[in-house]
Structures are given as structure tokens and as C-alpha cells.
Amino acid sequence: MRPTPINRVFPVLGGIALVAVFTLPLLTHAPNRLLSGRALGIEVFPPVAAALVVSGLLGVILAAVVPRVALVGALITSTAYIWGSGDCAATLAAQHPATARTAFGSGGWLLLACAWLTVAEAGRRVPLITALLAVAPPVVLIAGGWLDELSLLKEWVAKRDLFSDALLRHVRIVVTAFVPTVLLGLPLGVLAQRNEGVRAPLLTALGLIQTIPSIALFGLLIDPLSRLAAAAPWVAELGIRGVGMAPAVIALTLYSLLPVVRNTAEGLAGVPAAAVDAALGMGMTRGQIFRNVEMPLALPVVVSGLRITLVQAVGLAAVASLIGAGGLGALMFQGLFANAGDLILLGAVPILMLAVAVDTVFRLIVRLLQRRVA
Amino acid sequence: MIEFQHVSKRFGPWVAVDDLSLTVGPGEFCVLVGTSGSGKSTTLRMVNRLIEPSAGSIRVAGIPVDRRRPEDLRRHIGYAIQSVGLFPHWTVERNIATVPELLGWPRGRIRDRVTELLDLLRLDPDQVRHKFPHQLSGGQQQRVGVARALAADPAVLLMDEPFGALDPLTRAALQDELARIHHQTGKTILFVTHDMDEALKLGSRIAVMDHGRLLQAGTPRAILTCPANDFVRDFVGSDELGLKLLSIETAETRVRRGEGCDGEPVAASTPLHRALSLMIARGVDRLGVVDPAGVPLGALHLADFALARQ
């Protein structure tokens, strides 16, 4: 009989989290949102939550030989930890003034990171179901009011309008940049595949743009756009100015072109030559071949390019707030400059979730497209 | 049906086809045979204007090909290639329907035609119709490829080493199918291969090419018995000449009619080299021959093999 292969990922993640639970602070409690708090360990958790956290982690470690328990163990651990934290925060809130804040500690973040990495690894084959399983418990806990006294939730309630605006704005920046990216990127990709002479210089140029630090590129656009707006009033009337949306969208587009152009060219190059030859020999026009044969066959690779581009843009849009474009990055930097950790998280966590959501959805689309071709 | 008149094709300094003249009559099965780089594929691809000749003219059904729009010309000429080139994202039905759809046939007619063609290629329409190419075996894929080439019922069929990538058994089966289809439909076929045995088995006429030149065109018998030069002689393979000569004749041509014979009979269409092989394997010097309906025709004698045909 063949010995069962031992999974090394799960015990490592479970082990790290288990050590973190007993050596690092799981929660911090501070008199207000700007002061750093004192560390609290697992002993302050309700006994049931503590037991579930530890047994869930033991399950993850056990997954070395029984991989099936990894997903369940990780979900139990993360859910028990979040629920326990909310419960502790409520208890502490009853004993302290309203300005006091209870937040996740470093050990807690590490625990969550390990748990979610385990979930992602264990559920790789069913990304959508996995994502829903990971997101559902926190959403239910938040909706049920169990986490109301946690610092991050308090911050969210306090900044609710600001947060909604920032989120919408963030999405708008990404979507606005996505339109020119597709409109320019697809034709350039086709051109790069058809024309050897264009491909190398184009990809080199787009690759060079990627190496410019994003803050520098945003900054570099301020001056020419200001001059343009000053010189041509009708440009300014369109809302194009040195700061704000315009430079952000232009810079994001420049960064986003490379994955789209490269993947479009690669996808088209990967179309079987025999299929194109047959299509030509049977009397399809160039346009018909492109629409009926080349594009459908290249689509999974092209959409993969769009996925890379969008995930990258969600992250880069955060930096765009530095030139006044707004978005979740604005919350993040506001928190950074005010030394308010919760505000940083209020910007950063949704950016992360947005990126993961885009990634999951597009991976799913690619998989559906591939099913037709494979 | 297809006429090449002093056709040449140069790619830069390289002469791929050199002053080739060849006429393929209606209903003929003409096989272009030669080594790789001999210009046979280039010759074939000039017929449907996938490649434009540098000099000379090509006519299909009497009309110079450059008088017609390439797409229009190609839709009226069947085309099948070695790697099949089925569209992996389309079902078998849609693949076969490619040209009829380009020609704007009504849906019902296309459906019926697909059924008819799958039957002709001995594929079960109900089973195969909605499958994707990757769900079929290599032989089935090439059957679909041939069906697709026949879809719009073109008078002329171009086939560029269509069975080159198949295993020997599948290959032989498809050669038999193609011979049968040619017999049934009377299409004019221009077929490219580097395999002389395939050429002898299928062709009613064989054109041997080397370095872009047409060395000899003639019936299989003429190519075998009167090779135009040493290259043709070597290419044909002179050491097994006798067996090859037998391979292009059927049992029917040497049967002594009316004679009875014991043992399991062979079909009248059996090539003589197979009949000889069977005699040696069975240790007999006579074989019974039956017609397609199974009615005894007569007997085949070992002694008659060596005699020239009357």
C-alpha cells in the first residue's frame, strides 16, 4: 500500500497560529483610539471560544495526514476568534468609558492570516464556494451586532459616510481606468501579435512604465496636466486637472496596459495554427477568423490579463489618493498620518477584500471559458 | 477540372514550384507525391489561393482562380489538412457546418447535411453531433475533418496529408473510407502525401514531384513500370516492385471465372498483394473469389500472379 502523502503546508500554518495564540497578544485594549493599548491573551476569551480556537488549530495541524479537516478546522478557528473578540470587547466596554477601544492584537492578525491561507489552500478547486465560506461568518457576526464593540467596527460607524464615499470613489477610479485600458490594450495586443516589429518595442516600453514607482508616476503627471488645463480651458471643463481623477486614471491605465497587451498577444499566438489555416482554407474572411476562431480561443488568456490588471489597479488606486483622487487610500493615509491604526485598517482591509473579490470572480470566468475550449 | 499551366512559385530566391503543368480531369483522384520540400503542398495551396503563384495560371472548372474572390473560391473547394484543424471550441456539428453557414444555408438543410455526412463517414450522428473535438479519438477527428471538407458538396477536394498523423491501422481504415467516398461521389480530388504506398492505394493518377519540378504524372501502373528517371524509380522503391504492382490490382482482374474452390473466399475488391499474402499464410495455391453480394465468381490461381495482365 502506498503511504498517504503528508501535506506540509497545513501543519506549518496551524503550528505558527498555535504558537501565536499563546505567545502574542490576541487583543489590545486602549483608553482611546490614538493611544496604544495593553496586550490581552487567550485567558480573557470566553472558555468556549478559546477551546474552539485551539481545537480548530489542532484540526489544521492534523490535516497533514487528513487534508479534509483543514477547511473545517480553519473556519472554526477564525470564526471562534472573531466571535470571542467581539464578546471580550463587549465585556470590556461595559467596564470602561465609551472612548475605550478593543482591537485585534498581532497574534490575532497572525491567527486570521494563517486560518484564511489554510482556507484558500484547502478550497483551491472551488474558489467561489471557498470565498463564500470564508466571508460568511464575519458578515453574520457583524450583521448580528456581536462585533459592535470592536475598535474597527466603532471606527466604521463613526466614519460611515466617509467610508461609503471612499469605497464608491475607489471603485469609480478603477472602473474609469479599466475602460481606456481595454479600449487601448486589446487593439495593441492584436497589433503586437500580428507585427513582430511592434511587439518587442511596445512590450519593452510598457515594461519600463511598470518599473516607475507609482508615486513618482502620479507626481510626474501633475505638471503637464496642469499646464494643459491652463492652456486649454475646454480641457479643464472636462474635469481634467493636475490633481484628482485625471492623473490617477491616466497613470492607472499606463500601468494596466502591460498585462492586457501581453496576454492578448500571447492568447492569440496560442491559437492552433491548424485551426487558422483550416478557417482560411474554408473561405472565412480575416474578420470572420478573428471573431469566430482566434478571439474565442484566446479569450481565457485575455481575461486572465484583465484579472491581473484589475487586481493591480485596485491596489494602485490606493496610492492615487496622494494626488487627491480620493478613494479608500485616502482613509488609509489619513490614518497613517494621524497614527490611528483603526483608520488605516478601515482603508486597507476593504482594498484587500476588493482585490480578492475581483480575483475570485475573474478566475471563475476564466475557468468557465476554459471549459468550452479544453 | 484543375489545370496548372506553367505555374511557378518563388519565395525570394527559393524556387518552391518550377514551371509545373498538370491537368486533373473530372472525377480523377490525383495524388501529388514527393519528399518534404518538393513543392507538393505549395502546389496544392495555390489551387484555393492560400498561396498566389509567381507565374503561370491555374484554372478550376475552366475559370482562372484569380478571377474569383479568394473567399468565394475557397467556399466552393473542400479543404482538409494533416492536423485536422477542427475548431476546438465548436461542436462536431458546428465544425462540419462551417462552410454551409458561410454560404448562408437554411438551418434545416444544414442539420440534414450534417446527419448525412456523419452517416457517410460512419460516425453515429446522435452520439457524435454535439461532442467537442477533444472528446473524439484521432481517427474520429479526421473523419469529422473529411466530413467538414465535403460539407457544401464541392466538386473539388484538396487534401494535404490528411492522414499523416494517424496510427497505421486508423490510417488504413480512413484510406478505405476515402476510396469508397471517392467512388460513391465522383469528386475530383487533389491529394498530397509523402507516402508512396498511400499514393498507390488511393490515386487514379500519381504525380511525382522533386525540388519543385513535376518529374512524372501517370497511372500507378505507368509510374511503377516505366519510371521517368532514377529518382522516380528510387522513390517508388524498386526492390518490392512486384508486390507494389500486385497492390494496384484487385482479385477481380485475375480470377478464373466459374471455377469452384474450397476454403474461405476473398472479396473481388481485395488487392492482389493481400490475396498472395493470404495464400502463403494458408499454404494453398488457390483462393475462392466472391462478388460484393457474396456470390462466388471463380478462383484465383497462384500461377496467374506472375503473368502479365491480358
Side-chain angles (χ1 to χ4, degrees), chain A residues 264-320:
Chain A
T264 305
E266 263 173 29
L268 289 173
V271 173
V276 176
D277 183 42
L280 201 61
M282 285 189 295
M284 282 196 199
T285 61
R286 275 277 161 211
Q288 283 169 333
I289 293 173
F290 185 73
R291 284 195 307 277
N292 297 333
V293 181
E294 291 183 300
M295 219 38 205
L297 289 176
L299 210 54
V301 184
V302 175
V303 175
S304 286
L306 298 182
R307 175 181 68 81
I308 297 167
T309 262
L310 272 176
V311 171
Q312 181 182 280
V314 167
L316 282 173
V319 186

Coordinates of all heavy atoms in Angstrom, one line a residue, chain A residues 264-320:
Chain A
T264 N -3.1 39.5 -24.4 CA -3.9 39.4 -25.7 C -3.0 38.8 -26.7 O -3.3 37.9 -27.5 CB -4.3 40.8 -26.1 OG1 -5.1 41.4 -25.0 CG2 -5.2 40.8 -27.3
A265 N -1.7 39.3 -26.8 CA -0.8 38.8 -27.8 C -0.5 37.4 -27.6 O -0.5 36.6 -28.5 CB 0.5 39.6 -27.8
E266 N -0.3 37.0 -26.3 CA 0.1 35.6 -26.0 C -1.1 34.7 -26.3 O -1.0 33.6 -26.9 CB 0.4 35.4 -24.6 CG 1.9 35.4 -24.3 CD 2.2 35.4 -22.8 OE1 1.4 34.9 -22.0 OE2 3.3 36.0 -22.5
G267 N -2.3 35.1 -26.0 CA -3.5 34.3 -26.2 C -3.7 34.1 -27.7 O -4.0 33.0 -28.1
L268 N -3.5 35.1 -28.5 CA -3.7 35.0 -29.9 C -2.6 34.1 -30.5 O -2.9 33.2 -31.4 CB -3.7 36.3 -30.6 CG -4.9 37.2 -30.4 CD1 -4.7 38.6 -31.0 CD2 -6.1 36.6 -31.0
A269 N -1.4 34.2 -30.0 CA -0.3 33.4 -30.5 C -0.5 31.9 -30.2 O 0.0 31.0 -30.9 CB 1.0 33.8 -29.9
G270 N -1.3 31.7 -29.1 CA -1.5 30.3 -28.7 C -2.6 29.6 -29.4 O -2.9 28.4 -29.2
V271 N -3.3 30.3 -30.3 CA -4.4 29.7 -31.1 C -3.7 28.7 -32.1 O -2.8 29.1 -32.8 CB -5.2 30.7 -31.9 CG1 -6.2 30.1 -32.8 CG2 -5.9 31.7 -30.9
P272 N -4.2 27.4 -32.1 CA -3.6 26.4 -33.0 C -3.5 26.9 -34.5 O -4.5 27.4 -35.0 CB -4.5 25.2 -32.9 CG -5.3 25.4 -31.7 CD -5.4 26.9 -31.4
A273 N -2.3 26.9 -35.0 CA -2.1 27.4 -36.4 C -3.0 26.6 -37.4 O -3.5 27.1 -38.4 CB -0.6 27.2 -36.8
A274 N -3.2 25.3 -37.1 CA -4.0 24.5 -38.0 C -5.5 25.0 -38.1 O -6.1 25.0 -39.1 CB -4.0 23.0 -37.5
A275 N -6.0 25.5 -36.9 CA -7.4 26.0 -36.9 C -7.5 27.2 -37.8 O -8.4 27.4 -38.5 CB -7.8 26.3 -35.5
V276 N -6.5 28.1 -37.7 CA -6.5 29.3 -38.5 C -6.3 28.9 -40.0 O -7.1 29.5 -40.9 CB -5.4 30.3 -38.1 CG1 -5.3 31.5 -39.0 CG2 -5.6 30.7 -36.6
D277 N -5.4 28.0 -40.3 CA -5.2 27.6 -41.7 C -6.5 27.0 -42.2 O -6.9 27.3 -43.4 CB -4.1 26.5 -41.7 CG -3.8 26.1 -43.2 OD1 -3.8 27.0 -44.1 OD2 -3.6 24.9 -43.4
A278 N -7.2 26.1 -41.4 CA -8.4 25.5 -41.9 C -9.5 26.6 -42.2 O -10.2 26.5 -43.2 CB -8.9 24.5 -40.9
A279 N -9.6 27.5 -41.2 CA -10.6 28.6 -41.4 C -10.4 29.4 -42.6 O -11.3 29.7 -43.4 CB -10.5 29.5 -40.2
L280 N -9.1 29.7 -42.9 CA -8.7 30.4 -44.1 C -9.0 29.6 -45.4 O -9.6 30.1 -46.3 CB -7.2 30.8 -44.1 CG -6.7 31.9 -44.9 CD1 -7.4 33.2 -44.5 CD2 -5.2 32.0 -44.8
G281 N -8.7 28.3 -45.3 CA -8.8 27.4 -46.5 C -10.3 27.2 -46.8 O -10.6 26.8 -47.9
M282 N -11.2 27.3 -45.7 CA -12.6 27.1 -46.0 C -13.3 28.4 -46.4 O -14.5 28.4 -46.6 CB -13.2 26.5 -44.7 CG -12.9 25.0 -44.6 SD -13.8 24.2 -43.3 CE -13.2 25.1 -41.9
G283 N -12.6 29.5 -46.5 CA -13.2 30.7 -47.0 C -13.7 31.7 -46.0 O -14.6 32.5 -46.3
M284 N -13.2 31.6 -44.7 CA -13.6 32.7 -43.8 C -12.7 33.9 -44.2 O -11.6 33.8 -44.6 CB -13.2 32.3 -42.4 CG -14.2 31.3 -41.8 SD -14.1 31.3 -40.0 CE -14.9 29.7 -39.6
T285 N -13.3 35.1 -44.0 CA -12.6 36.3 -44.2 C -11.7 36.5 -42.9 O -11.9 35.9 -41.9 CB -13.5 37.5 -44.3 OG1 -14.3 37.7 -43.1 CG2 -14.4 37.4 -45.5
R286 N -10.7 37.5 -43.0 CA -9.9 37.8 -41.9 C -10.7 38.1 -40.6 O -10.4 37.7 -39.5 CB -8.9 38.9 -42.2 CG -7.6 38.4 -42.9 CD -6.6 37.9 -41.9 NE -5.6 37.0 -42.5 CZ -5.0 36.0 -41.8 NH1 -5.4 35.8 -40.6 NH2 -4.1 35.3 -42.4
G287 N -11.7 39.0 -40.9 CA -12.6 39.4 -39.8 C -13.3 38.2 -39.2 O -13.4 38.1 -37.9
Q288 N -13.8 37.3 -40.0 CA -14.6 36.2 -39.5 C -13.6 35.3 -38.7 O -14.0 34.7 -37.7 CB -15.2 35.4 -40.7 CG -16.4 36.1 -41.3 CD -16.9 35.4 -42.6 OE1 -16.1 34.9 -43.3 NE2 -18.1 35.5 -42.9
I289 N -12.4 35.1 -39.2 CA -11.4 34.2 -38.5 C -11.2 34.8 -37.1 O -11.2 34.1 -36.1 CB -10.1 34.1 -39.3 CG1 -10.4 33.3 -40.5 CG2 -9.1 33.4 -38.4 CD1 -9.2 33.2 -41.5
F290 N -11.0 36.2 -37.1 CA -10.7 36.8 -35.8 C -11.9 36.7 -34.8 O -11.7 36.3 -33.7 CB -10.5 38.3 -36.0 CG -10.1 39.1 -34.8 CD1 -8.8 38.9 -34.2 CD2 -11.0 39.9 -34.1 CE1 -8.4 39.5 -33.1 CE2 -10.6 40.6 -33.0 CZ -9.3 40.4 -32.5
R291 N -13.1 36.9 -35.3 CA -14.3 36.8 -34.4 C -14.7 35.4 -34.1 O -15.0 35.1 -32.9 CB -15.5 37.4 -35.1 CG -15.5 38.9 -35.1 CD -16.9 39.5 -35.5 NE -17.4 38.9 -36.8 CZ -17.0 39.3 -38.0 NH1 -16.2 40.4 -38.1 NH2 -17.5 38.8 -39.1
N292 N -14.6 34.5 -35.0 CA -15.1 33.1 -34.8 C -14.1 32.1 -34.2 O -14.4 31.2 -33.6 CB -15.6 32.5 -36.1 CG -16.8 33.3 -36.7 OD1 -17.5 33.9 -35.9 ND2 -16.9 33.2 -38.0
V293 N -12.8 32.4 -34.6 CA -11.8 31.4 -34.2 C -10.8 31.9 -33.2 O -10.6 31.5 -32.1 CB -11.1 30.8 -35.5 CG1 -10.0 29.8 -35.1 CG2 -12.1 30.2 -36.4
E294 N -10.1 33.0 -33.6 CA -9.0 33.5 -32.8 C -9.4 34.0 -31.5 O -8.9 33.6 -30.4 CB -8.2 34.6 -33.6 CG -7.5 34.0 -34.8 CD -6.6 35.0 -35.5 OE1 -7.2 36.0 -36.0 OE2 -5.4 34.9 -35.6
M295 N -10.4 35.0 -31.5 CA -10.8 35.6 -30.2 C -11.4 34.6 -29.2 O -11.0 34.6 -28.1 CB -11.7 36.8 -30.5 CG -11.5 38.0 -29.7 SD -9.8 38.3 -29.4 CE -9.8 39.2 -27.9
P296 N -12.3 33.8 -29.6 CA -12.9 32.8 -28.7 C -11.8 31.9 -28.1 O -11.9 31.6 -26.9 CB -13.9 32.0 -29.5 CG -14.2 32.8 -30.7 CD -13.0 33.7 -30.9
L297 N -10.8 31.5 -28.9 CA -9.8 30.6 -28.4 C -8.8 31.3 -27.5 O -8.2 30.7 -26.6 CB -9.1 29.9 -29.5 CG -9.9 28.9 -30.3 CD1 -9.2 28.3 -31.5 CD2 -10.3 27.7 -29.3
A298 N -8.6 32.6 -27.8 CA -7.6 33.4 -27.0 C -8.3 33.9 -25.7 O -7.6 34.3 -24.8 CB -7.1 34.5 -27.8
L299 N -9.6 33.9 -25.6 CA -10.3 34.6 -24.6 C -9.9 34.3 -23.1 O -9.7 35.2 -22.3 CB -11.8 34.4 -24.7 CG -12.7 35.6 -24.2 CD1 -12.2 36.9 -24.8 CD2 -14.1 35.3 -24.5
P300 N -9.7 33.0 -22.8 CA -9.3 32.7 -21.4 C -8.0 33.4 -21.0 O -7.9 34.0 -19.9 CB -9.1 31.2 -21.4 CG -9.9 30.7 -22.5 CD -9.9 31.8 -23.6
V301 N -7.0 33.5 -21.9 CA -5.8 34.1 -21.6 C -6.0 35.6 -21.6 O -5.4 36.3 -20.7 CB -4.7 33.8 -22.7 CG1 -3.4 34.4 -22.3 CG2 -4.6 32.3 -22.8
V302 N -6.8 36.2 -22.5 CA -7.1 37.6 -22.5 C -7.7 38.0 -21.1 O -7.3 39.0 -20.5 CB -8.0 38.0 -23.7 CG1 -8.3 39.5 -23.6 CG2 -7.2 37.7 -25.0
V303 N -8.7 37.3 -20.7 CA -9.4 37.6 -19.5 C -8.5 37.5 -18.3 O -8.6 38.2 -17.3 CB -10.7 36.7 -19.3 CG1 -11.4 37.0 -18.0 CG2 -11.7 37.0 -20.5
S304 N -7.6 36.5 -18.3 CA -6.6 36.4 -17.3 C -5.8 37.7 -17.2 O -5.5 38.2 -16.1 CB -5.6 35.3 -17.5 OG -6.2 34.0 -17.3
G305 N -5.5 38.3 -18.3 CA -4.8 39.6 -18.3 C -5.6 40.7 -17.7 O -5.1 41.5 -16.9
L306 N -6.9 40.7 -18.0 CA -7.8 41.7 -17.4 C -7.9 41.5 -15.8 O -7.9 42.4 -15.1 CB -9.2 41.5 -17.9 CG -9.4 41.8 -19.4 CD1 -10.9 41.7 -19.9 CD2 -8.8 43.1 -19.8
R307 N -7.8 40.2 -15.4 CA -7.8 39.9 -14.0 C -6.6 40.5 -13.3 O -6.7 41.2 -12.3 CB -7.9 38.4 -13.7 CG -7.7 38.0 -12.3 CD -7.7 36.5 -12.2 NE -6.5 35.9 -12.7 CZ -5.4 35.8 -12.1 NH1 -5.3 36.3 -10.9 NH2 -4.3 35.2 -12.6
I308 N -5.4 40.2 -13.9 CA -4.2 40.8 -13.3 C -4.2 42.3 -13.2 O -3.9 42.9 -12.2 CB -3.0 40.3 -14.2 CG1 -2.9 38.8 -14.2 CG2 -1.7 41.0 -13.7 CD1 -1.9 38.3 -15.2
T309 N -4.7 42.9 -14.3 CA -4.8 44.3 -14.4 C -5.7 44.9 -13.4 O -5.4 45.9 -12.7 CB -5.3 44.7 -15.8 OG1 -4.1 45.0 -16.6 CG2 -6.2 45.8 -15.8
L310 N -6.8 44.3 -13.2 CA -7.8 44.9 -12.2 C -7.3 44.8 -10.8 O -7.5 45.7 -10.0 CB -9.2 44.2 -12.4 CG -10.1 44.8 -13.4 CD1 -11.4 44.0 -13.6 CD2 -10.4 46.2 -13.1
V311 N -6.8 43.6 -10.5 CA -6.3 43.4 -9.1 C -5.2 44.4 -8.8 O -5.1 45.1 -7.7 CB -5.7 42.0 -8.9 CG1 -5.0 41.8 -7.6 CG2 -6.9 41.0 -9.0
Q312 N -4.3 44.6 -9.8 CA -3.2 45.6 -9.6 C -3.8 47.0 -9.5 O -3.3 47.8 -8.7 CB -2.3 45.5 -10.9 CG -1.2 46.4 -10.9 CD -0.4 46.3 -12.2 OE1 0.4 45.4 -12.4 NE2 -0.6 47.2 -13.2
A313 N -4.8 47.3 -10.3 CA -5.4 48.7 -10.2 C -6.1 48.9 -8.9 O -6.0 50.1 -8.4 CB -6.4 48.8 -11.4
V314 N -6.7 47.9 -8.3 CA -7.4 48.1 -7.0 C -6.3 48.5 -6.0 O -6.6 49.4 -5.2 CB -8.1 46.8 -6.6 CG1 -8.5 46.9 -5.1 CG2 -9.3 46.5 -7.4
G315 N -5.1 47.9 -6.0 CA -4.1 48.3 -5.1 C -3.5 49.7 -5.4 O -3.3 50.5 -4.5
L316 N -3.2 49.9 -6.7 CA -2.5 51.2 -7.1 C -3.4 52.4 -6.9 O -3.0 53.5 -6.6 CB -2.2 51.1 -8.6 CG -0.9 50.3 -8.9 CD1 -0.7 50.2 -10.4 CD2 0.3 51.0 -8.3
A317 N -4.8 52.2 -7.0 CA -5.7 53.3 -6.8 C -5.6 53.8 -5.4 O -5.9 55.0 -5.1 CB -7.1 52.8 -7.0
A318 N -5.1 53.0 -4.4 CA -4.9 53.5 -3.0 C -3.8 54.6 -3.0 O -4.0 55.6 -2.3 CB -4.5 52.3 -2.1
V319 N -2.8 54.4 -3.8 CA -1.7 55.4 -3.8 C -2.2 56.6 -4.5 O -1.7 57.7 -4.2 CB -0.5 54.8 -4.6 CG1 0.7 55.7 -4.5 CG2 -0.1 53.4 -4.0
A320 N -3.1 56.5 -5.4 CA -3.6 57.7 -6.2 C -4.3 58.7 -5.3 O -4.4 59.9 -5.6 CB -4.6 57.2 -7.3

